[in-house]
Amino acid sequence: MGSPQPLSRPFTLCEALPYTPFTSIVPFDPGVLPAPSIGTASPAHSLVDIVPSQEYDALNQEALGHDQQSRRLQQTLNQVQHLMDRGAVTEFKFKTGPRPSKASSKKHTSLAATLTPLSKMVYEQAAVPFRYPTPDTPTPSPPPHPNGKQVQARAAVPPKASPLAPKAELKTSSPAVKNKASHAQNAARLEIVLPTKSQLERAASLVKPSASPTIGAPVTPSSVSQIPRSDARPQSRQREEPTSLSPQVPKPKDGPVPSTPKSSVRAPSGSQKMGIAVELPKFAFNKSEFLVVPDEPDEPISLSARKRKREGLDGDDGYGDSLDFRQRSDAAFRELKGFMQQVRDAESHAQHTQFGNDYIILTSDNQMTLSSQAQVKAQSLLNKAISLNCFKNVPLEELLRLQQLCDNALKQAESLDFKVETSWAADDAEHWVQQLPSLQVAILAARTTLRMMCGGRDDKQLTSENTIERCLDLVKGVTDGIVIPVAELRSSGNTGELFKWLSPSKKKLVALFNDCQKLFALMAVLISKIETSGTVTSGLEYAASQLVFMETANSEKESVIETQKFDGLRLAAMDMLSQIFLLNPTQRQGIFDDIMSSLEKLPLGKRARTFKLVGGSSIQPVSALIMRLVQTSAGKVDDERHGGRSAVLQSIEDDAEAHASNPNGKRASSTISDADQAASEHTRAIEELTNVAGTLMDTAQRNANYVIKYIVSRALKSTKSGDTPYRNLLDLFVEDFILCLDNPDWPAAEILLRTLMKSVLGIMSQDKISVPAKNMALEVLGSLGAAIAKLTGYVRKTANGLDARDPDGLGSFLRSLAESALERRWVPDQVLAWVGPYRATLEYLEGRFAEDPHLASAITFIVSDWAFQVITIYDKDEVLEHQTEYGRNAYRLREMVEDRQWLTSQYSFKTDVTVTLARLSYSIILLRSPLCQHFKLILNELLGSMNSDQPTVRSKSLKSINQVLEADPSVLNYAETLRNIIDSSSDDSIQVRDSALGLIGKCISLRPELEGSLIQAVLDRVDDSGLGVRKRAMKLAKDIYLRNTDKGLRSSIANALLLRTRDPDESVRDLAHQMMEEIWFTPFHNGENSAISQTTLTDHVSLMVQTVKRGAVALVLDKVLQVLLAPASKTSQASREVCKKLVVSMFELMDNEDSADPAAPSTRDVLQVLVIFAKADASLFSFEQLCLLKPAIQSILTTSDLDASRAVVMIFRRVLPQLSSAHSSFLEEVRNLLLPAVAKIQRSLVDDIIACSWIISLLLKDFHNLSTLLSSVITSLVRLRTSSAKGPFEGKTANQFIRLALILGMIGKHCQLDGKLGGGKDALIKVAPKWSGESVSKLMVDTLLPFADSKFSLEVRRGALDAVGLVCESSPRNYASPNVYATFQEVFESDPPQPELESKILRSLKEFLHAEEKRSEQDPDADVLNGKTEKKRELTVIGGTNYDDVASATTARFLQHIIRIATSTQSNYAHLAVEVLASINRQGLVHPKETSVTFITLETSLLPQISECAFHEHQRLHAKHETVVEREYTKALQAAFAYQRDIASSPRGASKANEKSPLVSKLHLWMEVLKISRSKNRQKFLEKLCAQIDFDVSKLNVSGEIPPHAQYAEFIVENLAFFEYLTVGEVLTVVSAIEKLVSSTGAALAQAIESEVLGVRMDALGADTVDPSAQANPTLPEIDPRRRRQLATGATILHAAWEVRTYLRRLYNMGTNRREAKAKAQAKDLSKAPVKVQGVTGDKLWDDLTAKLTALTTVGGMMETLKSFVDLLRIDDELRVRDEDEDGEDPATPSMDEDEEADEPSAGRGRKRKAQGNTPGGRKKRARSSSQPRKRGRPRKVVAAAEDLDADGEFEDWA
């Protein structure tokens, strides 16, 4: 045998690539796949990171220095050999490479020479067969194993015979599949099995030269098969089977792949047999034949690895316990033994001296026990010994001795009376405090004893039942006697004294409570370690329930100790209940019952949430307890612990099917033993998982159903303000569960919320369900929808924020799953994968389990849910690959269900799951839960409820949608969402409209692009009838304005806000002024003069012009400007500067008329805005600007744009007074241009021109022009009067007169020419010789009055009265002239009335009275002109003006005529009269009673301006003269009815604005006025209204189709029905008044009807027997038709009143029983606001009242009315026992008030009588045993009827 051939160099990476699976990735990038290293596909971990260097060096020393191997060294070698066992490592068969063309001459040294001693021993003793196969020689038998074992060699598989890589399969597989498979193979662990040196030498010696070479021969490439490890988990089904890794060399386009040279395959020489020679063929690569496939993150299986089992290790002596651990354990053991020795010594010393010491104290019975210090030290040492696993080595007798000492302290505690009593005195409290040290010793002793019991020892002597019961008694005694009483102590009330006495001992109490908390915790540990008796468990359960629901103080001041100490005890009690619940399945229902029945004790304030979550939030402790119990119920019960009786009881509760399949109650043994077997037998694996975990989630679901059903059923019967707290508790629970929804610590939150969702969806699906119930359901659905939307948003945000270059692949995998979940593309095989979101969540929880043991229930629940999902999806997924994986997971999950620690003991996770990844993993699971899957259904339910019939339901749905929108704005993507919101904004209900506006605001804030489609809905609500709606719409519109730059949009908003400045409500007006300042003036307060600022100012002017042009805001904008510029405004100076800039900018726009911009405003429009600014403040204009306007005056007669001309004149009229005589030439020119135009221009321009001329004349002190004009006009009028003597003139002459009269009137209105005529006076005297020459206005009136005579035409008379009125406005003394008021009187008294003439007089009176108001209200301090204060006017008369006498006299003359006009029609003509009356009322010109009736009447007008004006005046009168006005209320009520009947043609008492609007009382403004009065006055008013219904039936006027009093009474009762009452007392007043009315008047009416119409005789009522034949054929007496109509009218009135009474009782939830209402109406409740019952509307009442009035038109209808009224009073529904199927809302029988005397003569006869002879069969009704024989005489009215009831409360109807 020749020398072995040296090995050639190893291949480089690129050279080896064609023979590896990496060929599917082109080009190869080390960033995509790491370069492989020897041993693993990824860089191998350093040995230093695995084994401590000290131990490794020690082993090397032992291997080097000792011929005899130590036990430790041999054990290590055996362990390493075990790891290298062929069955535990992957074996590869490599292809043989081609022979190298030239052998290397370099000598290679053996690698074994450089190994460490330990490594060399492993190398020499390891037996790893290895060979170099050749294609032409058979594989020889392997050499014998060094230890005598036979090693079987594996034959090489020829390439053609390989069934693992068929060509057809490779051709059909896609590049993506190849890439995926190759990547997975390279991610697996690779290990090469090498033979030992001795084996190679022995094998070489067996080879002969003539034999076929077996080693070192060059071979052709062949398949390399990977044998997977048993614990390595493949990613997919394709990777489970051995996969061919032979490279498929692609064929290039240019030709075939070059063949291998012959020299590379010839037989090797002998010198080459021991080497490896590989020659690479030439490789042609065609890039076009490959595709770039994006990698999809797959399950990161590399993160999970099976833990290696430690064989040959002796438990505690293995590698798990380090030397440091053993040393610490030994030290703890010695320390504990030393302590026990000290205790024995102290015990001996105490026994000898009979005195205590540091370790031993003597009890009251002279028994020895450990002191407090010794107890604390003992517990510390015991804890250390238990944790270091040396407690089991402590001698039992030592522990029993220690336990006996503790037992003495427990015995002493039994003799202590430590219960806290509220009746204690100070000495008792002090004595109790002195006992606390002894009690504390007992508690510490109990803790020490329990610590020893829970140490894990199996010694039964330590777990004495008596000792446990003593500990239990101590727990119960401390709970009942100390904890609960101290928790209930308050600083006030009957416990105040005890609170004060115990407060100084706060520190002692705190220490005691801390010890109690620890004692409770140890008791919880005890019952988990030891199976205790039922007595112990029940006692602990009761004590824990008490602590969980104990009532603590709401503030620290009210508590003896810090409330947090109670919270700690409460948490310990929760742990106790959870432990009992876990360990005792038979008691679970009882625990739930106790918790549910105690919910009423829970606090609802800020102390409700005291349980801290990990994230920092807080929930209710009971919420945490319920979730923990539900989670616990999803776990498997420990059968070993609960054998015997418990197992039998549990089996009894199983269903019949489970019992039949498993009659012995034992679980069938599992046949699946590992994951590989489960993968191959997946069906059986699923079945075994179903047997173990199939019903666990069902149990949790049942418990969740019980909890939710209990809470919801009681919440449906309570309100948020009711006596029971369940409605508020439901909200708290929902908030808590939602807060925990995405927290993996509380997985039960989802199942509870899911159950709640199903419950409330069931409520919404019911047809007959109350409105509060629907509102509750909608509120819950809104919260659930918002929670789901928030969860979705969190998943989206977190997934997008994950780093794509995740090193371990978990983040990428979760990101892919999150994207699929958000797109509703579910991939259950990945969600339920072994290394998926479930596993990541569990690893996160397991990592925190040591810190928080309570996570056990969460882990159990998630495992059970995982199992349930696998079981559920298995039958639905038919993919074999997926089913195999489900089977593999089923085995693992079964093991995890049966053993909670199986996962951590069998598998490891190579990365730490962060909080973010854990929460994302759990959120992905939640998105697949039924709760989140129903999100669209929840949203549809909310959207559908927006169309409900009930306003509150619609409003609640809008608020719920708002919640969802806040969490996820993508809800707006649904088209129906916006459509329903817009429709709701115009709803009939104010509440719904307000909610819709709030939702619109939310939509706009979330999606600003929606403003264009929603702005109109907002603007429509700016003038809404609801005050709150208007304000919300205005604020929303302002925000939209500030965010937008579109002029059209801004103009629309500004127009709407400007109109609100004259809103009826003052707060709205103030808000509108504030908003206009903020959007139009505040942005320009900075005072910038830059080009950008100037451009912005110009745009703003264009906006203002556009706004004024488009609407009626010109009438209000000047008022807005006046408010802004008023000295009282804080920003007046800044606003003034802005206004001046705006005026300048407007003049610049006028100069730019030739602008090509189509959006530029016209000159006319700009002038209109300038007029508004001039009216607001003339000082904003300068003289230069007036000069710019003068050209418009020059063309006043020729221009076609009269609006522009008038605007210029109006500006001059306001601004000219600011000028001085220094501008005389300008003023003269203006006057000369204006005056000639008065003869040809329209009325409005004449007014302004005359006014301007007078101003100019005053400034120039030149009145010649006006004097000349006056003379000319009067001369012409005198001439016309002279010509009229021949006859009235018409046509041209009449028009000439009208023009002359207008000019004269305007001169009289604006010009005070007395003493200023100059030479013109003589000319006037010549024309009017009778004129005295003093009063020019008198001359004018006298000249005009003759033309107002009736002989002239209506046009002439109208012109004359108009001119007279104009003159009298400025010269009011003329009103008192006899010829003037006589002419006015003639006009008012004309028959028929002449509204056109009356309106001229009224308009003149209106202007005069308004001027008087302004004059009387003028502030003297504000009269400043040019910096000089005018002289204060003298008060010549009361009132402060010189014309008060004129105003009073004129008002007295024409008041009745003005009232007649105001109440005779509903038109603008009447509105004019109302305005005159309002001015008269404001000035106090007449007595309040003269106008109060009129104003109250006019409040009911259908014309808004009339009713609004009357309302304000009535309000003013009532505020000043309430007593006087109240006396007129009866008269006002009758007048209002007459006005509605005759003028409005609607005698009904209520009306609707439209068909969808609710009914509104016509007297609602009257009630609005009364709101400023006291409640007692309002009740008095209501009693007066009810009294107006009463009548004397014999005096009723029954003429007409509907009798007048019937209409009047109907008007009153309908108003009473639809009033908006302020207090409960007012409602009760109305109800009681109606009941008294019907009881008194109705009784007499019913008797008359019975006797006169129905023929019921008095003697028949008292008879014992009645002839049946007489009853069968009654003979009705004849009655006068008028009498019958009177009785029917009275019955209709009273029946209608009773219907209203019943409606009010139902509407305000007062019941239908009058006594019930009185019982409810406590004195303190009478002042509260009444609450309407949802769903009760007045439509049915309206229809019933309409039908009752209609019945009076026919005889049949009247008879039916009479009978129904008698039945109403005869049948007592208040006392009758109703059937179960009755509605219970029928009107009750009116009865006499309890305090009313029964035998009152005026009350009439009784009305509750039994109909004799109407019993079945005609038999007599048996009298009650307690009844007395009837006395003779007339039956009593009510009391007698009540006493005459049957025992069963039944009443018979008339036959």
Side-chain angles (χ1 to χ4, degrees), residues 1369-1445:
E1369 286 179 24
S1370 59
S1371 302
R1373 292 289 175 191
N1374 291 294
Y1375 284 119
S1377 298
N1379 55 344
V1380 174
Y1381 64 72
T1383 302
F1384 286 179
Q1385 192 75 24
E1386 180 184 356
V1387 172
F1388 282 129
E1389 293 177 352
S1390 61
D1391 190 18
Q1394 296 178 328
E1396 293 185 356
L1397 302 181
E1398 292 175 341
S1399 62
K1400 294 297 181 181
I1401 300 173
L1402 290 176
R1403 193 171 302 279
S1404 175
L1405 292 175
K1406 171 190 169 184
E1407 296 298 332
F1408 160 62
L1409 293 173
H1410 283 181
E1412 286 300 295
E1413 282 188 75
K1414 293 179 181 179
R1415 192 177 292 118
S1416 62
E1417 296 172 358
Q1418 186 177 7
D1419 185 4
D1421 297 334
D1423 294 336
V1424 180
L1425 183 62
N1426 295 329
K1428 297 180 181 180
T1429 305
E1430 290 184 344
K1431 183 179 178 180
K1432 295 184 179 180
R1433 50 190 165 81
E1434 297 179 357
L1435 300 179
T1436 56
V1437 292
I1438 297 177
T1441 65
N1442 294 325
Y1443 303 112
D1444 284 351
D1445 55 338

Side-chain angles (χ1 to χ4, degrees), residues 860-881:
T860 300
F861 187 93
I862 293 177
V863 170
S864 299
D865 182 53
W866 192 358
F868 175 78
Q869 298 299 334
V870 170
I871 295 171
T872 304
I873 202 63
Y874 175 78
D875 294 331
K876 300 178 182 179
D877 196 339
E878 298 180 356
V879 180
L880 182 60
E881 174 191 357

Side-chain angles (χ1 to χ4, degrees), residues 1515-1547:
Q1515 198 173 37
R1516 184 176 286 104
L1517 280 175
H1518 187 86
K1520 294 181 179 180
H1521 315 285
E1522 181 177 357
T1523 306
V1524 176
V1525 175
E1526 280 182 351
R1527 299 193 188 103
E1528 305 297 321
Y1529 276 173
T1530 302
K1531 184 179 179 182
L1533 179 64
Q1534 297 170 351
F1537 166 71
Y1539 179 78
Q1540 287 294 312
R1541 181 192 60 197
D1542 302 333
I1543 307 303
S1545 302
S1546 176

Side-chain angles (χ1 to χ4, degrees), residues 987-989 993 1025 1551-1560 1739:
D987 194 89
D988 301 335
S989 171
R993 297 198 299 272
S1025 60
S1551 62
K1552 289 184 176 182
N1554 52 61
E1555 293 183 358
K1556 296 183 178 180
S1557 300
L1559 287 162
V1560 178
D1739 295 336

Side-chain angles (χ1 to χ4, degrees), residues 93-96 131 133-139 154-166 219-225 244 246:
K93 292 185 178 180
F94 287 89
K95 307 173 186 177
T96 57
R131 64 181 294 274
T134 58
D136 52 355
T137 59
T139 305
R154 305 195 180 195
V157 181
K160 295 181 181 179
S162 176
L164 303 176
V219 293
T220 57
S222 61
S223 300
V224 180
S225 300
S244 174
S246 59

Side-chain angles (χ1 to χ4, degrees), residues 321-341:
D321 290 345
S322 64
L323 178 63
D324 180 62
F325 180 86
R326 290 196 298 270
Q327 290 175 347
R328 287 189 291 115
S329 177
D330 294 342
F333 178 74
R334 289 193 300 270
E335 191 174 0
L336 180 58
K337 287 190 64 177
F339 170 75
M340 291 185 172
Q341 181 62 42

